[in-house]
Amino acid sequence: MNMKASLTALALTAALSAPMASAEIWSNTEVQIQALGELERVGTGGTADTTIITFQHAGGWEYGDNFFFMDYSRYSVNNDANFPVSDSSELYGEWYSNFSLGAITGNDLSFGPVKDIGIVAGFNFAPEVNSAWVLPGVRFALDLPGFAFAQIDVTGYIHQGGGSADSPVFTVVDEDSSFMVDFSWAYPFKIGSTSWSIEGHLEYIDGRTQVNNFGTTELESWILFQPQIRLDLGEVLGQKAQRLFVGIEYQYWKNKLGEKGTDDNAAQLLAVWRF
């Protein structure tokens, strides 16, 4: 078995099976709605008024934690595209399982701002282009004052599957392996009697060569920055705290999906319901 196949098997086995054997000791499940944002459309040269509905879950177990989300995006295409395109929708999902080496070994692995080290296995799925990626790597859990959590993932970014070169719609056939560095965090704070948080992630994915049904493309390295600022609206309304939130999500995406010169710089209204 070659190295790529070995890493793929490791990531899929870890992400999809091992954590399920142990019950969660904490969990957080929510639905997010982002609306009234005008985002770039890759490949068309145009923009689209975009609504995104996200189902998201995070949970911890004895030896680590899991996180996954599924996005449903609906695009209302504007009239500034290079060629006619219709309104569309798509799904996209990610799963990450983290295995805490400190919890597994019983040793204190902290040093400097790092409080623990984990083995992380990720799986990204984009059915619109008939492709998936596995992301095996390392997580550094950080101990930063005031943060609910902060962590840095350093992983591979390895394409799996791929569609047919004869597909009538855009399809990824093959793609070079690359790597990702991702910093994610949540920082709660108070303004008077109101509760707020700033949370999100900042990722870098290195450039690579992609083969699709239209030919060979050199994908640029991209930077994606997605912070949210949330107000606990349920608390303000005298209802149960930590259930209903409103706010704004800002998206900055340099070289969106690897397309050189296509950059998002937009804010969307945000509403969140936490179960």
Side-chain angles (χ1 to χ4, degrees):
M1 182 180 288
N2 61 33
M3 180 61 71
K4 180 175 178 179
S6 298
L7 290 174
T8 299
L10 173 63
L12 289 175
T13 300
L16 300 179
S17 61
M20 297 303 181
S22 181
E24 289 184 325
I25 56 178
W26 63 267
S27 66
N28 181 332
T29 303
E30 58 188 37
V31 174
Q32 304 179 16
I33 300 176
Q34 298 157 237
L36 303 180
E38 186 174 319
L39 303 181
E40 295 290 330
R41 293 289 285 152
V42 172
T44 71
T47 61
D49 296 324
T50 305
T51 299
I52 304 171
I53 301 174
T54 301
F55 178 81
Q56 178 174 292
H57 176 83
W61 59 300
E62 184 178 3
Y63 295 113
D65 54 83
N66 302 302
F67 170 79
F68 74 85
F69 72 85
M70 179 65 71
D71 282 347
Y72 171 77
S73 300
R74 179 68 184 174
Y75 305 99
S76 180
V77 179
N78 296 323
N79 294 322
D80 54 354
N82 291 332
F83 53 88
V85 289
S86 61
D87 294 355
S88 61
S89 61
E90 62 185 45
L91 292 171
Y92 174 76
E94 298 186 4
W95 177 294
Y96 297 91
S97 288
N98 173 57
F99 300 84
S100 165
L101 294 179
I104 292 170
T105 65
N107 295 322
D108 181 2
L109 303 181
S110 63
F111 62 94
V114 175
K115 63 180 181 180
D116 192 23
I117 300 174
I119 300 299
V120 65
F123 180 72
N124 297 356
F125 179 52
E128 302 303 319
V129 293
N130 194 27
S131 284
W133 293 259
V134 293
L135 295 87
V138 179
R139 173 170 296 173
F140 300 93
L142 306 179
D143 186 10
L144 301 181
F147 283 74
F149 78 90
Q151 59 198 29
I152 297 174
D153 290 348
V154 182
T155 74
Y157 191 76
I158 304 168
H159 180 255
Q160 300 297 304
S164 169
D166 298 325
S167 173
V169 296
F170 181 85
T171 301
V172 178
V173 178
D174 196 12
E175 190 175 280
D176 288 346
S177 296
S178 182
F179 69 90
M180 180 188 77
V181 180
D182 183 86
F183 171 60
S184 56
W185 78 93
Y187 183 82
F189 62 97
K190 302 281 287 189
I191 298 179
S193 60
T194 60
S195 299
W196 299 74
S197 69
I198 298 177
E199 52 196 76
H201 78 115
L202 170 64
E203 78 175 25
Y204 170 86
I205 294 183
D206 201 48
R208 57 213 180 274
T209 300
Q210 180 188 88
V211 178
N212 55 60
N213 55 324
F214 293 105
T216 299
T217 302
E218 295 299 323
L219 298 180
E220 299 291 321
S221 302
W222 78 58
I223 296 174
L224 174 59
F225 180 46
Q226 290 179 299
Q228 297 179 350
I229 182 166
R230 300 181 177 192
L231 166 67
D232 189 334
L233 183 61
E235 181 184 62
V236 171
L237 297 176
Q239 305 299 314
K240 191 171 184 179
Q242 297 293 307
R243 287 293 181 268
L244 178 63
F245 305 85
V246 293
I248 294 174
E249 176 170 309
Y250 169 72
Q251 176 165 292
Y252 174 78
W253 198 340
K254 177 67 175 178
N255 298 325
K256 186 174 185 177
L257 291 175
E259 184 171 83
K260 186 175 183 178
T262 299
D263 306 325
D264 271 333
N265 185 5
Q268 291 183 288
L269 296 179
L270 173 71
V272 181
W273 174 259
R274 181 174 294 168
F275 296 90

